[in-house]
PDB file of all heavy atoms in Angstrom:
ATOM      1  N   GLN A  61      -2.340  68.879 -36.766  1.00  0.00           N
ATOM      2  CA  GLN A  61      -2.901  68.828 -35.447  1.00  0.00           C
ATOM      3  C   GLN A  61      -3.889  67.690 -35.397  1.00  0.00           C
ATOM      4  O   GLN A  61      -4.609  67.462 -36.393  1.00  0.00           O
ATOM      5  CB  GLN A  61      -3.563  70.116 -35.044  1.00  0.00           C
ATOM      6  CG  GLN A  61      -2.624  71.292 -35.030  1.00  0.00           C
ATOM      7  CD  GLN A  61      -1.547  71.147 -34.005  1.00  0.00           C
ATOM      8  OE1 GLN A  61      -1.761  70.762 -32.887  1.00  0.00           O
ATOM      9  NE2 GLN A  61      -0.313  71.429 -34.425  1.00  0.00           N
ATOM     10  N   PRO A  62      -4.001  66.937 -34.283  1.00  0.00           N
ATOM     11  CA  PRO A  62      -5.038  65.907 -34.197  1.00  0.00           C
ATOM     12  C   PRO A  62      -6.406  66.474 -34.416  1.00  0.00           C
ATOM     13  O   PRO A  62      -6.714  67.583 -34.038  1.00  0.00           O
ATOM     14  CB  PRO A  62      -4.889  65.393 -32.763  1.00  0.00           C
ATOM     15  CG  PRO A  62      -3.494  65.799 -32.337  1.00  0.00           C
ATOM     16  CD  PRO A  62      -3.200  67.046 -33.104  1.00  0.00           C
ATOM     17  N   CYS A  63      -7.236  65.715 -35.071  1.00  0.00           N
ATOM     18  CA  CYS A  63      -8.645  66.136 -35.323  1.00  0.00           C
ATOM     19  C   CYS A  63      -9.579  64.956 -35.077  1.00  0.00           C
ATOM     20  O   CYS A  63      -9.135  63.844 -34.815  1.00  0.00           O
ATOM     21  CB  CYS A  63      -8.786  66.716 -36.738  1.00  0.00           C
ATOM     22  SG  CYS A  63      -8.539  65.519 -38.068  1.00  0.00           S
ATOM     23  N   LEU A  64     -10.868  65.282 -35.169  1.00  0.00           N
ATOM     24  CA  LEU A  64     -11.853  64.290 -34.889  1.00  0.00           C
ATOM     25  C   LEU A  64     -11.722  63.061 -35.825  1.00  0.00           C
ATOM     26  O   LEU A  64     -11.696  63.219 -37.031  1.00  0.00           O
ATOM     27  CB  LEU A  64     -13.252  64.907 -35.055  1.00  0.00           C
ATOM     28  CG  LEU A  64     -14.456  64.044 -34.732  1.00  0.00           C
ATOM     29  CD1 LEU A  64     -14.432  63.704 -33.245  1.00  0.00           C
ATOM     30  CD2 LEU A  64     -15.743  64.832 -35.051  1.00  0.00           C
ATOM     31  N   ALA A  65     -11.660  61.875 -35.229  1.00  0.00           N
ATOM     32  CA  ALA A  65     -11.526  60.681 -35.995  1.00  0.00           C
ATOM     33  C   ALA A  65     -12.869  60.229 -36.540  1.00  0.00           C
ATOM     34  O   ALA A  65     -13.935  60.504 -35.985  1.00  0.00           O
ATOM     35  CB  ALA A  65     -10.970  59.542 -35.116  1.00  0.00           C
ATOM     36  N   LEU A  66     -12.834  59.537 -37.665  1.00  0.00           N
ATOM     37  CA  LEU A  66     -14.022  58.877 -38.189  1.00  0.00           C
ATOM     38  C   LEU A  66     -14.352  57.682 -37.369  1.00  0.00           C
ATOM     39  O   LEU A  66     -13.469  57.000 -36.806  1.00  0.00           O
ATOM     40  CB  LEU A  66     -13.818  58.423 -39.638  1.00  0.00           C
ATOM     41  CG  LEU A  66     -13.533  59.506 -40.676  1.00  0.00           C
ATOM     42  CD1 LEU A  66     -13.140  58.872 -42.018  1.00  0.00           C
ATOM     43  CD2 LEU A  66     -14.712  60.398 -40.858  1.00  0.00           C
ATOM     44  N   THR A  67     -15.622  57.286 -37.261  1.00  0.00           N
ATOM     45  CA  THR A  67     -15.973  56.050 -36.618  1.00  0.00           C
ATOM     46  C   THR A  67     -15.584  54.948 -37.609  1.00  0.00           C
ATOM     47  O   THR A  67     -15.401  55.195 -38.825  1.00  0.00           O
ATOM     48  CB  THR A  67     -17.475  55.977 -36.313  1.00  0.00           C
ATOM     49  OG1 THR A  67     -18.205  55.985 -37.540  1.00  0.00           O
ATOM     50  CG2 THR A  67     -17.906  57.130 -35.434  1.00  0.00           C
ATOM     51  N   GLU A  68     -15.574  53.712 -37.131  1.00  0.00           N
ATOM     52  CA  GLU A  68     -15.281  52.588 -38.002  1.00  0.00           C
ATOM     53  C   GLU A  68     -16.335  52.437 -39.060  1.00  0.00           C
ATOM     54  O   GLU A  68     -16.079  52.000 -40.195  1.00  0.00           O
ATOM     55  CB  GLU A  68     -15.083  51.294 -37.206  1.00  0.00           C
ATOM     56  CG  GLU A  68     -13.824  51.284 -36.375  1.00  0.00           C
ATOM     57  CD  GLU A  68     -13.527  49.988 -35.687  1.00  0.00           C
ATOM     58  OE1 GLU A  68     -14.456  49.101 -35.622  1.00  0.00           O
ATOM     59  OE2 GLU A  68     -12.382  49.764 -35.307  1.00  0.00           O
ATOM     60  N   GLU A  69     -17.564  52.817 -38.757  1.00  0.00           N
ATOM     61  CA  GLU A  69     -18.675  52.756 -39.724  1.00  0.00           C
ATOM     62  C   GLU A  69     -18.502  53.817 -40.796  1.00  0.00           C
ATOM     63  O   GLU A  69     -18.713  53.557 -41.969  1.00  0.00           O
ATOM     64  CB  GLU A  69     -20.028  52.954 -38.988  1.00  0.00           C
ATOM     65  CG  GLU A  69     -20.420  51.820 -38.095  1.00  0.00           C
ATOM     66  CD  GLU A  69     -19.815  51.868 -36.689  1.00  0.00           C
ATOM     67  OE1 GLU A  69     -19.130  52.901 -36.360  1.00  0.00           O
ATOM     68  OE2 GLU A  69     -19.952  50.895 -35.942  1.00  0.00           O
ATOM     69  N   GLN A  70     -18.103  55.049 -40.387  1.00  0.00           N
ATOM     70  CA  GLN A  70     -17.889  56.122 -41.366  1.00  0.00           C
ATOM     71  C   GLN A  70     -16.741  55.768 -42.293  1.00  0.00           C
ATOM     72  O   GLN A  70     -16.825  55.969 -43.493  1.00  0.00           O
ATOM     73  CB  GLN A  70     -17.627  57.443 -40.646  1.00  0.00           C
ATOM     74  CG  GLN A  70     -18.800  58.043 -39.920  1.00  0.00           C
ATOM     75  CD  GLN A  70     -18.391  59.178 -39.011  1.00  0.00           C
ATOM     76  OE1 GLN A  70     -17.368  59.143 -38.347  1.00  0.00           O
ATOM     77  NE2 GLN A  70     -19.208  60.252 -39.048  1.00  0.00           N
ATOM     78  N   LEU A  71     -15.660  55.231 -41.726  1.00  0.00           N
ATOM     79  CA  LEU A  71     -14.541  54.847 -42.571  1.00  0.00           C
ATOM     80  C   LEU A  71     -14.912  53.732 -43.530  1.00  0.00           C
ATOM     81  O   LEU A  71     -14.554  53.799 -44.712  1.00  0.00           O
ATOM     82  CB  LEU A  71     -13.335  54.374 -41.645  1.00  0.00           C
ATOM     83  CG  LEU A  71     -12.085  53.984 -42.364  1.00  0.00           C
ATOM     84  CD1 LEU A  71     -11.515  55.136 -43.204  1.00  0.00           C
ATOM     85  CD2 LEU A  71     -11.029  53.539 -41.338  1.00  0.00           C
ATOM     86  N   ALA A  72     -15.695  52.790 -43.101  1.00  0.00           N
ATOM     87  CA  ALA A  72     -16.166  51.682 -43.999  1.00  0.00           C
ATOM     88  C   ALA A  72     -16.981  52.267 -45.124  1.00  0.00           C
ATOM     89  O   ALA A  72     -16.837  51.893 -46.279  1.00  0.00           O
ATOM     90  CB  ALA A  72     -16.944  50.664 -43.191  1.00  0.00           C
ATOM     91  N   TYR A  73     -17.859  53.252 -44.793  1.00  0.00           N
ATOM     92  CA  TYR A  73     -18.722  53.834 -45.855  1.00  0.00           C
ATOM     93  C   TYR A  73     -17.828  54.529 -46.907  1.00  0.00           C
ATOM     94  O   TYR A  73     -18.039  54.352 -48.071  1.00  0.00           O
ATOM     95  CB  TYR A  73     -19.705  54.812 -45.207  1.00  0.00           C
ATOM     96  CG  TYR A  73     -20.449  55.610 -46.229  1.00  0.00           C
ATOM     97  CD1 TYR A  73     -21.569  55.048 -46.872  1.00  0.00           C
ATOM     98  CD2 TYR A  73     -20.064  56.871 -46.605  1.00  0.00           C
ATOM     99  CE1 TYR A  73     -22.261  55.745 -47.845  1.00  0.00           C
ATOM    100  CE2 TYR A  73     -20.737  57.590 -47.580  1.00  0.00           C
ATOM    101  CZ  TYR A  73     -21.836  57.026 -48.193  1.00  0.00           C
ATOM    102  OH  TYR A  73     -22.506  57.740 -49.146  1.00  0.00           O
ATOM    103  N   LEU A  74     -16.854  55.335 -46.433  1.00  0.00           N
ATOM    104  CA  LEU A  74     -16.020  56.068 -47.386  1.00  0.00           C
ATOM    105  C   LEU A  74     -15.156  55.121 -48.261  1.00  0.00           C
ATOM    106  O   LEU A  74     -14.994  55.339 -49.440  1.00  0.00           O
ATOM    107  CB  LEU A  74     -15.133  57.064 -46.648  1.00  0.00           C
ATOM    108  CG  LEU A  74     -15.847  58.248 -46.037  1.00  0.00           C
ATOM    109  CD1 LEU A  74     -14.899  59.071 -45.189  1.00  0.00           C
ATOM    110  CD2 LEU A  74     -16.548  59.107 -47.077  1.00  0.00           C
ATOM    111  N   VAL A  75     -14.616  54.077 -47.606  1.00  0.00           N
ATOM    112  CA  VAL A  75     -13.758  53.133 -48.370  1.00  0.00           C
ATOM    113  C   VAL A  75     -14.596  52.360 -49.376  1.00  0.00           C
ATOM    114  O   VAL A  75     -14.200  52.232 -50.529  1.00  0.00           O
ATOM    115  CB  VAL A  75     -13.040  52.198 -47.375  1.00  0.00           C
ATOM    116  CG1 VAL A  75     -12.380  51.047 -48.136  1.00  0.00           C
ATOM    117  CG2 VAL A  75     -12.003  52.945 -46.571  1.00  0.00           C
TER     118      VAL A  75
END
Side-chain angles (χ1 to χ4, degrees):
Q61 299 298 314
C63 65
L64 184 64
L66 297 173
T67 65
E68 289 187 345
E69 291 83 7
Q70 290 169 318
L71 183 58
Y73 173 81
L74 291 174
V75 169

